[in-house]
Amino acid sequence: MSIAKANGIDPTFTGGAILSGIYFGDRCSPMSTSALLISELTQTDIYCNIKNMFKSTLLPFSVTCLLYALLGFSGTGNTGTADLYALFPQNFDLHWTTTIPALLIIILSLCKVKVRLTMAASIITGSLLCLFLQDITPAQLGSIMFYGFYPADQQLAQILSGGGIISMFTVSVIIILSSAYAGIFEATGFLNTTQARLAQLGEKITPYGSILLTATITSMATCNQTLSSILTYQLHKDSADNMQQLALDLENSTIVVAALIPWSIACAVPLATVGAGNASILFAFYLYLLPLYNLWRPYKVTPV
């Protein structure tokens, strides 16, 4: 039984809303691997990129929230049955100090502290809380960090099971292989002809339109965000006048378009997690509205 069904919610609409929420956060969080990847590729400041992303997403995000509110008021979903307010206190000590790891991420991010230091501070604080507040032994903590968290409570397990370093093995392999392919393409000049044609296309339509088309094709071919982002960057970097603009255009294309491809892990994994089918893609409103809005009214970054 899926998480959505277990809580009396239509998994189709839930899956669409989750896809929208995931990739809103994936674009705009300093902890996001995709945001870090784009900033590393373009050699731009991640916090400047996030500021630009927030500005370019205000209208699509607002319309998305409105659409989900309308769906909710129309009674499309069912009333949830799981008493989460009772479930969590039964399994965890919800002392106010448990908010510290999340607060550290927010505060240190606002202070523009390096992402690695921010993550380290949050991880260390969270680990200490597990040991001294939740009464988890060092051996249990090590197992959770490596293999993931699998609570004995079946209702809680439907919501929180998973994670751990081992769960990132496949993703890590994909990133390594993606980087290797990208290096081969660049060193051999395999993409040079395509680069020239895409530059001409950008002059006829818009640079963002050319990037969006590239992102769609590479996402369909590579089945993941990482290689799609790298290839799209390589194909457009020479024709870009402003790396910050390119970073924003990549975030507004490759990062969200990949989640609309049913066979891409960016789409398949989240939907499988909540037990939703591919029909949920139709209700991932944010993933449509953001590219369409930028095609209609591209956000122009001011060089710094």
Side-chain angles (χ1 to χ4, degrees), residues 40-209:
E40 289 293 327
L41 286 173
T42 56
Q43 294 297 297
T44 52
D45 181 71
I46 187 171
Y47 293 105
C48 288
N49 293 345
I50 289 172
K51 180 179 69 174
N52 292 326
M53 283 187 275
F54 269 117
K55 290 179 178 178
S56 70
T57 198
L58 286 176
L59 184 58
F61 178 71
S62 299
V63 175
T64 298
C65 291
L66 177 61
L67 290 171
Y68 288 132
L70 292 173
L71 278 177
F73 288 129
S74 69
T76 304
N78 300 316
T79 303
T81 58
D83 188 357
L84 298 182
Y85 291 102
L87 181 61
F88 282 89
Q90 290 172 2
N91 291 273
F92 303 105
D93 185 341
L94 299 182
H95 191 265
W96 69 266
T97 53
T98 57
T99 63
I100 292 177
L103 289 174
L104 278 175
I105 289 179
I106 295 172
I107 294 170
L108 295 179
S109 296
L110 289 174
C111 295
K112 297 186 177 181
V113 174
K114 290 183 177 180
V115 173
R116 292 181 181 87
L117 295 178
T118 299
M119 293 179 67
S122 181
I123 291 170
I124 292 171
T125 307
S127 298
L128 292 174
L129 287 170
C130 287
L131 293 171
F132 297 106
L133 183 64
Q134 307 298 342
D135 294 326
I136 293 176
T137 67
Q140 289 174 322
L141 179 60
S143 177
I144 291 170
M145 294 176 71
F146 190 79
Y147 294 108
F149 179 63
Y150 297 92
D153 187 300
Q154 293 301 310
Q155 196 173 21
L156 184 65
Q158 292 177 341
I159 303 171
L160 295 181
S161 291
I165 296 173
I166 196 70
S167 68
M168 297 301 295
F169 177 77
T170 301
V171 176
S172 300
V173 171
I174 290 173
I175 293 173
I176 292 171
L177 292 175
S178 299
S179 301
Y181 278 123
I184 292 171
F185 291 154
E186 185 169 14
T188 59
F190 180 75
L191 303 175
N192 290 348
T193 303
T194 307
Q195 280 180 313
R197 291 178 179 175
L198 287 172
Q200 293 173 355
L201 179 62
E203 294 175 358
K204 292 180 180 179
I205 48 175
T206 63
Y208 176 75

